[in-house]
Structure formats: C-alpha cells, structure tokens
Amino acid sequence: MPHTTSWDRLISKKRFETADSKYSSDESVRGEFQRDYDRIVFSSAFRRLQNKTQVMPMPESDFVHTRLTHSLEASVVGRSLGRIVGKSILERHPELTGEKNIQEADFGDIVAAACLAHDIGNPPFGHSGEDAISAYFQSDEAQPFLHNLTDTQLADLHRFEGNAAGFRVLTYTYPAHCNLPGGLSLTYTTLATFTKYPKESLPLIAGTRDTSEKKYGFFQTEKAWFNTIAQELGLLKKGTDDQVFFHRHPLAFLVEAADDICYRIIDFEDGLKLGLVPHQQGIALLRQILGDAPDRVSTLTFFDWREEIGYLRARIIGKLINEATQIFLQHEQEILAGTYDKPLVNELSCKPVLDEIKSLSIDLIYRNRPVLEIEAAGFEVLGGLLDACMKAAFRPASKHHRKIADLIPPQYLQLPEGASDYERIIHITDYVTSLTDQAALGLYRKIKGIELPRMY
C-alpha cells in the first residue's frame, strides 16, 4: 500500500459510467473539467437551489442569499483557490503538463465545479431538513418499513446526509428516464473533489479530530461507485479492507475552504443588511479581519454603510483566498500522504475574529426567532411528507395511499425488478430532498387538507 498519492493519478479526465468516446471534445475550446461545470449549471437539481434555504428560510428580501447564489459565489472563490494552487503544483510537478496536458485552469475548473455542486443534494429547509429526515427514520412511524435493512443502510437514514444525497444526484440516472448510467457523467476527479467525506456511514467515529471523518459522503447505493473512483485516482485507503473509507482528494480541502469563507463572511453580511447584527459592530469585526487600524482613513467615501460592507467583503475574500492557498501549499506533502486532515480556515491568521463572527451569527442570525419558527415548521413538513410518501410506496393497497402515490413523479416509484426495501426508501428520500422549500410546503398543505389546490 503506497504511503502517498500522486497528482499524476489524482488529476484524471476519465468520465464516470459513460461512453464518451462517442463524442469529440476540443479542449482548446472547452476543457473536460469546464464541461463538468457546465453540466452542473444546466442540471435541474442545480436550478432548484434557487428556492432552497441558505440563511433565511423562504426569504422575502432581495438582500438574502439562497443556496443558488451561495453556490455560485463559492464556485468563484473555489476557482481562484484552484488556479493559485494549480500554478504552484505545475511548477513543482512539471511532468503534469506533458502527456496529460494539465493546465493551471484545470485546477480552477475542478474546484469551481465541485463547489458549484457542493449543496446540490441538500433537502428543503437546509440543515433543519436533514435533521427532519433523520428524525423521521428514527421515529416509531418509520419502523415498519425498516425491518429488512442492514446496520449500514439504517445508519444512512438515521443520520441522513445531504453530502451523500448530492453524490447520488451527480451519479445516478433513474431507469425510468434513460438507460445511460452515470447521472451527469462527470469526471472522476471532479466527483472525488466534491466528496469532502470519503467514507460510508459506518463506522461512526465518535470524537474524531479528522475533518473528513465527521460525516459520510455516499449512500450504500453508491458505495461501489465511489470505491471505483477512489481506486482509479489512487486515493489512500483508511479502515479495513471491506470498508469503503479513504483519505480525501487533496482538492476537496479547497472546496471546504471556499464554502467556509463564503458562509462565514456572506451569511454575516446578510445578517448585517437585514438588521439582525448592529452594523457598526459588524463593520468593526470585518475591519479586524483585514487588520485595519480603527482610525484608518480610506481614499473612498461611503454614503451608505451597506456599500462599505460590500467593499470590506471583497477585500476580505481576497485576503482569505491568498492565505488559504499558502496554507495548502505549505502542507502539500502532508495532504498527499494523508497526514493532514483539518479545515484550512483553522490556520488562517484571522481565525479568532472569524470565530467571533461565527458565534455572533449563531446568536443573532441562525437563532433569530423567524428563522427558528420556519425551521421548526419545516421540520414538521418534511416529516409529514416522508411519512405520507413512504406509506404510498409500501402500502399501495390503500385507496388514500394510491392517491398520494399519484402525486409522486413516477421515476421515484418505478424500480427495477428485485429492488430492495432500502432502494425503495432511497428513491422516496430522493423525491423529498429534491423539493424546493415552497414546493415542499405547498404539497404538505395540500395532502393534509390545510390548503386546497386551485381548480381551473
């Protein structure tokens, strides 16, 4: 077993489960990893992020980010991180520019594509939605449907993970739609870079300090597929021989950094613009990140404090990008050897201020009463939808349940002959997680009789 992995294997243009040899691609016009980015942009799952919670569920203000705008911004930051790192990696490993024809832009495109998709599997109502799905499958109502599941299959559901749902979105094609497998048929490298948690749901490693072990990255339905990707790219093995458990692809650290930078700074900006955080206190913290003296005089004059926040945010993101890439490059050999496994933001010079911003965001933004009220309602909505859809899938003899089944798009109920209970359940969770916040709320109101559909 090698004690280190190599960039030569880690950067691969091979595509997942596809017969792409039928198609020609002129890389002088559009590289393979840019094709990944474009495929994600045009996917329906990415489009639905427009109406999924980032900070404020179902926001009415145009100040507030959705999952879509957050993902776009993270991809911009990720592209910069990737290009800066890529330039140095190619200088250190010039053999990559030879037969493999790897360019600086390829690193940027890989990280940007993975960042673009990093929330693509999130259910309605954000992390509250994940909690709702997990809680439902631990509830008494769900137990009749879970008798035939293995311990690992149960762990997938008891600790439902949007990251694993995202990997499934990118790699799974419904048989009712098409006989070409592989979902969006992305490159192996982009899929591995997307996977921040390259392990299955078990074993659960309590108290681990390794950031890549805190969650899991794929369901049992995609376990063999991720194993194939990991073997192809030479990811370093963790765990026992029978476990699909690997060290991260190095570029996954840049995806994590882009997400961390964006949500720490931009969620805080949303809170400031919504008046949840006193703007003078917020501006003072942002200036601390930059190391600006309290009496620093800018050559710019701002007549609106919101414009100043935008200016500070741009400077901060530039500073954090430069620091994060230097940290990555300093630890390159440790990352390749699998001995470095923590978020890059933990080593930023301004981490104490970022931690203060995070604490303030939790108290004043994420625990703001309207946010908590909508998240609590969303928790009930998703649990109710899952219960109704599970009964429709498993108890079709009931007339009422058949009516619910007719409301579910057929691809989620049409499974291959011999499909297991677990596969049937995963299809139902696919449907519920695919819904936007408003679609989930609207469907719940209708099936519960709270709101009747309009008759035309």
Side-chain angles (χ1 to χ4, degrees):
M1 176 63 67
H3 296 295
T4 187
T5 189
S6 68
W7 289 109
D8 183 63
R9 290 188 68 183
L10 289 167
I11 308 298
S12 171
K13 297 177 182 179
K14 184 173 182 179
R15 290 197 172 274
F16 181 69
E17 289 288 309
T18 187
D20 251 16
S21 58
K22 296 179 182 179
Y23 308 100
S24 61
S25 173
D26 182 356
E27 284 206 75
S28 66
V29 176
R30 189 165 67 121
E32 290 298 322
F33 305 117
Q34 188 178 342
R35 290 175 68 196
D36 288 345
Y37 186 94
D38 296 350
R39 290 180 181 195
I40 295 165
V41 166
F42 283 100
S43 69
S44 58
F46 180 72
R47 186 169 61 249
R48 285 193 291 269
L49 294 177
Q50 181 176 354
N51 190 224
K52 287 196 176 185
T53 294
Q54 172 61 19
V55 181
M56 301 291 290
M58 296 186 292
E60 296 180 1
S61 169
D62 59 2
F63 283 135
V64 177
H65 290 78
T66 65
R67 287 283 171 182
L68 183 73
T69 49
H70 166 71
S71 298
L72 288 166
E73 289 168 348
S75 76
V76 171
V77 173
R79 176 175 284 111
S80 296
L81 290 167
R83 285 200 173 204
I84 294 169
V85 163
K87 183 176 186 295
S88 292
I89 294 297
L90 293 178
E91 289 171 354
R92 295 177 181 184
H93 306 275
E95 67 277 6
L96 295 174
T97 60
E99 185 178 339
K100 295 203 72 171
N101 191 29
I102 302 300
Q103 307 296 321
E104 176 185 316
D106 290 330
F107 286 85
D109 289 341
I110 292 164
V111 180
C115 287
L116 194 70
H118 80 280
D119 278 344
I120 205 166
N122 277 29
F125 305 106
H127 293 299
S128 176
E130 289 177 305
D131 293 342
I133 294 171
S134 300
Y136 171 74
F137 285 113
Q138 295 175 47
S139 70
D140 292 341
E141 288 82 358
Q143 299 317 301
F145 311 120
L146 307 179
H147 293 310
N148 298 322
L149 274 59
T150 68
D151 288 345
T152 313
Q153 290 170 345
L154 283 171
D156 286 357
L157 302 174
H158 287 171
R159 296 190 300 114
F160 184 83
E161 183 55 58
N163 289 284
F167 187 83
R168 181 169 168 83
V169 167
L170 298 178
T171 58
Y172 183 72
T173 302
Y174 290 96
H177 281 166
C178 179
N179 66 353
L180 181 67
L184 299 184
S185 294
L186 305 181
T187 60
Y188 279 33
T189 294
T190 294
L191 288 170
T193 300
F194 165 85
T195 309
K196 294 191 292 184
Y197 307 100
K199 69 179 293 291
E200 51 189 314
S201 56
L202 293 180
L204 176 62
I205 306 172
T208 179
R209 293 186 176 184
D210 290 351
T211 186
S212 68
E213 296 178 351
K214 294 182 183 297
K215 300 180 182 181
Y216 66 95
F218 42 85
F219 297 130
Q220 290 299 291
T221 43
E222 285 71 52
K223 171 180 174 177
W225 292 359
F226 185 81
N227 193 51
T228 297
I229 292 168
Q231 298 285 352
E232 174 72 21
L233 299 180
L235 299 187
L236 299 182
K237 191 81 168 66
K238 278 189 175 184
T240 61
D241 289 342
D242 62 334
Q243 293 170 346
V244 181
F245 186 9
F246 291 87
H247 288 275
R248 275 182 176 176
H249 190 290
L251 296 182
F253 287 95
L254 299 182
V255 174
E256 180 179 58
D259 185 27
D260 286 344
I261 289 169
C262 285
Y263 92 77
R264 293 276 183 97
I265 302 302
I266 297 174
D267 285 7
F268 191 62
E269 180 184 6
D270 279 348
L272 284 164
K273 290 184 175 179
L274 288 170
L276 302 177
V277 179
H279 72 267
Q280 291 180 336
Q281 181 183 9
I283 288 173
L285 284 170
L286 296 177
R287 287 174 177 163
Q288 281 186 50
I289 294 176
L290 293 166
D292 288 352
D295 58 351
R296 179 181 184 269
V297 178
S298 173
T299 57
L300 297 174
T301 300
F302 295 99
F303 302 104
D304 185 334
W305 59 266
R306 295 172 183 82
E307 289 302 308
E308 183 177 4
I309 288 172
Y311 169 72
L312 293 172
R313 178 243 302 145
R315 290 179 59 205
I316 288 167
I317 288 177
K319 172 187 170 72
L320 300 187
I321 286 172
N322 288 331
E323 277 199 37
T325 53
Q326 291 308 306
I327 294 165
F328 180 94
L329 292 167
Q330 287 166 13
H331 294 288
E332 179 199 353
Q333 291 308 312
E334 297 165 68
I335 291 171
L336 291 173
T339 59
Y340 183 96
D341 196 353
K342 57 185 176 182
L344 298 177
V345 295
N346 281 9
E347 295 195 46
L348 292 173
S349 63
C350 59
K351 185 178 183 296
V353 188
L354 289 176
D355 288 345
E356 190 174 347
I357 284 176
K358 181 179 180 180
S359 177
L360 199 60
S361 296
I362 290 171
D363 290 341
L364 300 183
I365 302 173
Y366 306 135
R367 291 178 182 164
N368 183 45
R369 185 176 181 86
V371 172
L372 295 177
E373 288 174 343
I374 295 176
E375 285 185 347
F379 193 95
E380 296 299 321
V381 166
L382 287 198
L385 283 179
L386 263 176
D387 192 48
C389 291
M390 289 287 289
K391 289 173 179 174
F394 281 87
R395 298 173 181 170
S398 162
K399 188 174 182 180
H400 173 67
H401 296 158
R402 284 201 304 273
K403 290 179 180 178
I404 300 295
D406 287 341
L407 297 175
I408 302 173
Q411 70 267 22
Y412 298 106
L413 296 175
Q414 295 175 6
L415 279 80
E417 187 175 348
S420 66
D421 286 353
Y422 172 72
E423 290 173 287
R424 191 176 302 280
I425 292 168
I426 289 293
H427 271 66
I428 292 301
T429 61
D430 284 349
Y431 171 57
V432 173
T433 56
S434 75
L435 296 170
T436 64
D437 293 6
Q438 290 181 343
L441 181 59
L443 180 60
Y444 178 79
R445 284 172 169 168
K446 290 179 176 66
I447 66 174
K448 293 295 183 180
I450 299 170
E451 175 185 298
L452 295 177
R454 295 179 181 178
M455 303 298 292
Y456 294 97

